[in-house]
């Protein structure tokens, strides 16, 4: 059954149930009301009868005789009964209760009155006999009451009275509620149907499918979440496609070159030793490039699947950082560049020394590679709040860090190169992103992606700032242990 039908059915069932409950309560309320009216009518009619009965009792008229005379006076209101104060029926005109005992319920404040009810069996069905009495005098030392009785109208007859109006009211309510249910079901089912269609479309591979007209309610929020999810799926599908295309492209270039040179050697096209050597050298370099690329891809894949183990040790960057940078001095010199290190005393951090070295080397290598000839590369390490702890122990430095609230160790690598265009800045950490110059420089475009993953795995962040013509600064922030 569709959601729409279920909603309508539920709505209508609730309304029907409510109508039935109202109907049944009405019947009972009506019965009480009817009983009160009937008792009041009996009470009004019995008062004049009591005066006549009093006169007859004073004249010692027999109860049966009193009954006969009063019954004609009672008219159609009810039948006369004579009852003693103990409830013994002395005479009863219609219901065969003579010599039987009935209950007398006093009515306060008119305490001369009483009323009662008695269950009668008429043609095997039970009927309630209502009676109202009033003291009329004494006979054989007992107070004698004259009472008028009438059979209470059965409960179903009350229902019969209200049934037509109940049906009309019920019909109108049901009709209105049906319209409300239809509108409600439509307002819920329609966006859900649209969502279901959109989900099916995305499942079929139409990743650009979106749900329109999202409101602020639960369904609107669901649609907004769906759109956000579809967007991410689309983006990640696109990234996957780009990734496969990039990997194939990156592998194809060295493979073509390796195949070409080895083919040339096999065919004897290159014969003299120096040419063979050059071909072998190219094959060697291209193989190394491929190995580097495959290695980088493996590292990225392992970071992505969360399977990259990091040896989280306490690291003292005051010793490690100068050592890492010193190893890059020959490279800077060979490019005619100056590599400078400016270091504050740093707090210890928790990390994997090998991986962090990879990050620093990648940033400094890039800074050298994309610098202007004869430019400067400056590595600045900062932990602003630790100056007072310079000469103290590691423990004292940690305490100082807690007191002073230092959270981050900052390592910035600044070059004086051409800079990165503003529109390319958000893309430098993307896989395989390479600037125009880099294509000539022959990088893989994976270095910064890996650096980003490593820093993120350490709970840190890496940001880039750049100004065209003046240079770029890559800043790594790592949390203090
Ligand atoms: P690769 O250097 O192997 O190409 P990276 O991921 O290390 O790959 O860098 C991605 C791109 O970011 C580079 O191709 C280059 O265009 C740009 N880039 C990185 N560092 C710098 C820098 N210091 N100055 C200018 N551009 C840079």
């Amino acid at each position: 059954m569709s959601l729409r039908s279920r909603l309508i059915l539920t709505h209508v069932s609730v309304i029907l149930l409510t109508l039935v409950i109202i109907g049944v309560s009405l019947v009972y309320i009506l019965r009480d009301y009817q009983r009160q009216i009937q008792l009041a009518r009996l009470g009004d009619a019995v008062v004049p009868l009591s005066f006549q009965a009093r006169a007859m009792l004073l004249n010692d008229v027999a109860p049966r005789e009193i009954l006969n005379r009063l019954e004609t006076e009672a008219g159609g209101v009810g039948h006369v009964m004579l009852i003693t104060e103990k409830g013994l029926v002395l005479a009863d005109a219609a219901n065969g209760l003579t010599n039987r005992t009935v209950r007398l319920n006093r009515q306060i404040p008119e305490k001369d009155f009483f009323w009662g009810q008695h269950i009668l069996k008429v043609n095997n069905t039970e009927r309630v006999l209502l009676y109202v009495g009033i003291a009329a005098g004494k006979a054989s030392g007992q107070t004698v009451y004259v009472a008028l009785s009438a059979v209470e109208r059965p409960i179903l007859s009350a229902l019969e009275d209200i049934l037509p109006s109940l049906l009309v009211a019920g019909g109108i309510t049901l009709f209105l509620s049906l319209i409300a249910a239809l509108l409600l079901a439509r307002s819920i089912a329609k966006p859900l149907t649209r969502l279901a269609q959109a989900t099916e479309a995305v499942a079929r591979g139409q990743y650009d499918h979106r749900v329109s007209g999202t409101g602020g309610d639960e369904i609107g929020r669901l649609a907004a979440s769906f759109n956000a999810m579809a967007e991410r799926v689309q983006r990640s599908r696109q990234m996957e496609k780009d990734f496969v295309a990039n990997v194939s492209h990156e592998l194809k270039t060295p493979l073509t070159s390796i195949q070409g040179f080895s083919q040339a050697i096999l065919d004897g096209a290159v014969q003299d030793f120096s040419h063979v050597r050059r071909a072998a050298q190219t094959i060697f370099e291209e193989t190394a490039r491929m190995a580097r690329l495959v290695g980088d891809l493996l590292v990225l894949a392992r970071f992505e699947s969360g399977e990259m183990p990091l040896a989280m040790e306490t690291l003292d960057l005051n010793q490690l950082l100068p050592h890492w940078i010193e190893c890059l001095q020959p490279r800077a010199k060979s490019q005619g560049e100056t590599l400078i290190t400016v270091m504050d005393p740093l707090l210890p951090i928790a990390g994997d020394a090998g991986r962090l070295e990879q990050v620093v080397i990648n940033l400094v290598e890039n800074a050298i590679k994309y610098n202007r000839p004869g430019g400067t590369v400056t590595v600045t390490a900062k932990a602003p709040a630790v100056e007072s702890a310079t000469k103290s122990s590691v423990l004292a430095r940690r305490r100082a860090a807690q007191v002073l609230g230092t959270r981050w160790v900052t390592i910035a690598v600044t070059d004086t190169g051409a800079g990165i265009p503003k529109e390319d800045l958000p893309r430098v950490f993307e896989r395989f992103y390479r600037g125009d110059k880099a294509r000539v420089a022959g990088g893989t475009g994976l270095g910064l992606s890996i650096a980003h993953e490593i820093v993120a795995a350490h709970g840190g962040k890496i940001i880039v700032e750049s100004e065209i013509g003046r240079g770029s600064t890559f800043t790594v922030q790592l949390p203090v242990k």
Side-chain angles (χ1 to χ4, degrees):
M1 197 190 281
S2 72
L3 179 68
R4 185 185 296 232
S5 325
R6 264 186 287 164
L7 275 171
I8 295 173
L9 209 71
T10 314
H11 203 91
V12 169
S13 320
V14 169
I15 296 292
L16 271 176
L17 193 72
T18 316
L19 283 175
V20 168
I21 291 171
I22 291 176
V24 171
S25 332
L26 261 179
V27 166
Y28 279 95
I29 291 168
L30 210 71
R31 191 190 65 170
D32 278 353
Y33 178 66
Q34 197 172 270
R35 173 175 285 186
Q36 294 306 323
I37 289 183
Q38 212 171 354
L39 286 173
R41 278 180 66 201
L42 290 172
D44 286 347
V46 84
V47 175
L49 296 183
S50 71
F51 295 127
Q52 294 180 34
R54 181 166 299 163
M56 284 188 265
L57 278 171
L58 283 174
N59 291 323
D60 285 333
V61 180
R64 193 74 230 166
E65 186 55 29
I66 298 173
L67 194 78
N68 289 341
R69 287 194 206 164
L70 292 182
E71 186 69 11
T72 47
E73 300 288 322
V77 183
H79 296 289
V80 180
M81 288 161 83
L82 286 177
I83 309 170
T84 69
E85 64 187 47
K86 298 228 164 86
L88 180 70
V89 179
L90 295 174
D92 172 24
N95 300 304
L97 291 176
T98 311
N99 291 330
R100 289 178 63 182
T101 308
V102 292
R103 276 178 65 103
L104 309 179
N105 304 324
R106 287 280 170 203
Q107 270 198 331
I108 294 172
E110 301 121 297
K111 55 184 182 348
D112 277 353
F113 274 96
F114 69 83
W115 75 278
Q117 65 185 63
H118 190 83
I119 306 296
L120 284 180
K121 276 234 157 108
V122 180
N123 300 333
N124 271 344
T125 51
E126 286 190 345
R127 289 290 177 87
V128 178
L129 183 74
L130 294 174
Y131 44 88
V132 176
I134 187 167
K138 296 227 173 214
S140 319
Q142 280 197 58
T143 306
V144 175
Y145 296 92
V146 59
L148 263 182
S149 69
V151 174
E152 190 180 29
R153 291 182 67 198
I155 189 165
L156 276 178
S157 77
L159 185 65
E160 275 163 23
D161 283 354
I162 60 161
L163 201 62
S165 35
L166 202 68
L167 281 178
V168 172
I172 294 172
T173 317
L174 212 60
F175 176 70
L176 290 178
S177 77
L178 204 67
I179 291 176
L182 270 168
L183 291 176
L184 183 78
R186 230 175 82 140
S187 73
I188 294 176
K190 212 170 158 190
L192 281 180
T193 311
R194 279 210 310 264
L195 255 169
Q197 284 165 350
T199 317
E200 281 159 17
V202 170
R204 276 197 305 273
Q206 295 170 11
Y207 300 109
D208 56 345
H209 203 102
R210 298 286 180 274
V211 188
S212 58
T214 54
D217 58 1
E218 286 85 348
I219 295 178
R221 288 210 301 277
L222 181 64
S225 308
F226 172 83
N227 283 346
M229 184 198 72
E231 182 115 25
R232 289 188 69 168
V233 171
Q234 187 181 14
R235 220 178 315 135
S236 87
R237 283 291 296 163
Q238 190 56 45
M239 274 167 70
E240 209 176 295
K241 270 192 205 161
D242 293 349
F243 183 74
V244 173
N246 278 321
V247 171
S248 326
H249 178 76
E250 294 296 330
L251 289 177
K252 213 173 159 202
T253 318
L255 270 175
T256 314
S257 154
I258 291 168
Q259 201 179 20
F261 280 103
S262 47
Q263 186 77 54
I265 296 171
L266 280 175
D267 293 351
V270 273
Q271 277 173 355
D272 86 71
F273 183 70
S274 67
H275 284 129
V276 173
R277 213 182 133 79
R278 208 169 330 133
Q281 178 68 31
T282 312
I283 292 172
F284 177 77
E285 278 166 11
E286 291 299 329
T287 320
R289 206 164 98 80
M290 270 176 62
R292 232 178 20 246
L293 182 74
V294 172
D296 283 354
L297 283 173
L298 272 176
V299 170
L300 273 175
R302 289 176 78 185
F303 266 116
E304 204 155 66
S305 60
E307 283 169 15
M308 178 54 97
L310 287 180
M312 296 301 267
E313 295 161 337
T314 303
L315 305 179
D316 185 1
L317 290 175
N318 298 298
Q319 286 174 7
L320 291 171
L321 201 57
H323 174 66
W324 294 339
I325 292 167
E326 206 43 48
C327 298
L328 292 160
Q329 282 294 359
R331 169 98 43 116
K333 272 205 187 87
S334 71
Q335 303 284 320
E337 294 175 29
T338 314
L339 177 56
I340 306 169
T341 312
V342 182
M343 275 185 70
D344 280 352
L346 300 174
L347 286 170
I349 62 160
D352 185 317
R355 292 288 165 204
L356 290 176
E357 179 182 8
Q358 192 180 346
V359 173
V360 173
I361 288 180
N362 182 263
L363 295 182
V364 178
E365 272 184 349
N366 276 353
I368 296 171
K369 197 160 49 167
Y370 302 111
N371 214 338
R372 67 175 159 76
T376 307
V377 174
T378 313
V379 180
T380 318
K382 271 196 208 151
V386 290
E387 259 151 31
S388 60
T390 317
K391 298 180 198 80
S392 41
S393 66
V394 171
L395 204 68
R397 274 193 255 165
R398 266 189 216 153
R399 277 206 203 107
Q402 277 160 7
V403 173
L404 298 166
T406 307
R407 299 279 329 265
W408 304 98
V409 163
T410 309
I411 303 165
V413 181
T414 306
D415 62 58
T416 52
I420 305 165
K422 213 172 176 167
E423 61 275 15
D424 285 354
L425 278 180
R427 300 191 52 209
V428 291
F429 298 107
E430 275 177 21
R431 271 136 220 227
F432 294 110
Y433 168 78
R434 283 189 294 169
D436 293 338
K437 251 181 110 184
R439 301 200 182 275
V440 189
T444 60
L446 292 175
L448 284 180
S449 314
I450 294 176
H452 189 270
E453 295 287 351
I454 294 174
V455 174
H458 280 80
K461 47 193 168 184
I462 179 165
I463 50 173
V464 57
E465 291 155 299
S466 188
E467 206 178 319
I468 291 293
R470 301 202 62 170
S472 315
T473 299
F474 284 82
T475 309
V476 174
Q477 289 184 325
L478 294 166
V480 166
K481 190 175 178 206

